[in-house]
Amino acid sequence: MPKVALVTGGTRGIGEVIAIELKEAGYLTVANYGGNDERAREFRERTGIPTYKFDVSDFDACKSGIEAIERDIGPVSILVNNAGITRDGTLHKMSQKSWQEVLDTNLGSCFNMSRCVIEGMRERRFGRIVNIGSLNGQAGQYGQVNYAAAKSGIHGFTKALALEGASMGITVNAVAPGYVETDMVRAVPAAVLEKIVARIPVGRLGSAHDIARGVLFLVSDESGFITGSTLSINGGQHMY
């Protein structure tokens, strides 16, 4: 029977492509989303991938969401913690709310979701968890102390949980994307975008497919000897 793969923030952007490519690879894929019902409906109708709406920053919502998925679809064997938000601003102007929302959604969700599936993975002695970090969590970024802190925390979380899961057949890895051609990046002014691309040694933005292919490798049965690693997919912009 195909393994159940759950992607948080899986109905748009990088998460959407990861979910689609997991399905195409033969996994029984499910996408979580947080708020855009119309986008989720369109995604569900176009791809045939079931969607579940719940707030990944809320532990109780995650617990209920996982219970519903496992009741409807089956036990989650693969978890991709992709959901994330930005609330950019320099620290001296940043509100505590903007700090906390990013920490809760980007980093807290990794705990919430992993905690809700880890016991089942341990019982079955198999699991794959991939956390989506960021180049900016490795190198820092002006105006993103909240985002950089959360993403940097993901890399530490990944290593620690990898140690806990290794003897139980559970691998935990991270993918750290660089600048990827998403709606958010395409909205950057052309002159600024040109400067960003000029700092990428391969000479282009990444694509969501570049990221998805890395995730597919890390969740495969063949990747069982890789755990606690961060796969940087950034075109050589930051070698870490």
Side-chain angles (χ1 to χ4, degrees), residues 99-240:
W99 167 267
Q100 199 62 54
E101 285 179 349
V102 170
L103 266 291
D104 289 345
T105 300
N106 296 16
L107 179 57
S109 64
C110 290
F111 168 81
N112 294 341
M113 295 296 295
S114 299
R115 181 64 183 84
C116 290
V117 300
I118 196 72
E119 291 185 54
M121 290 179 175
R122 289 172 64 87
E123 289 171 5
R124 296 185 297 275
R125 300 189 70 83
F126 179 89
R128 295 285 185 268
I129 298 175
V130 178
N131 303 311
I132 306 300
S134 172
L135 161 69
N136 292 347
Q138 297 172 315
Q141 178 60 39
Y142 184 92
Q144 285 196 326
V145 292
N146 48 5
Y147 184 83
K151 291 297 187 177
S152 181
I154 284 174
H155 299 305
F157 175 91
T158 295
K159 294 176 188 296
L161 185 55
L163 291 172
E164 295 181 16
S167 66
M168 308 298 292
I170 303 165
T171 67
V172 188
N173 293 288
V175 169
Y179 285 93
V180 174
E181 194 173 6
T182 60
D183 291 342
M184 183 174 67
V185 172
R186 282 190 290 267
V188 172
V192 176
L193 194 57
E194 185 177 338
K195 291 179 181 178
I196 290 172
V197 173
R199 296 198 302 268
I200 302 173
V202 302
R204 66 171 177 87
L205 296 172
S207 74
H209 296 283
D210 292 323
I211 311 307
R213 282 190 287 271
V215 172
L216 258 65
F217 169 65
L218 290 172
V219 304
S220 67
D221 289 346
E222 292 77 15
S223 69
F225 200 59
I226 301 172
T227 195
S229 295
T230 294
L231 177 59
S232 295
I233 307 177
N234 60 35
Q237 186 173 357
H238 181 68
M239 299 183 187
Y240 178 75

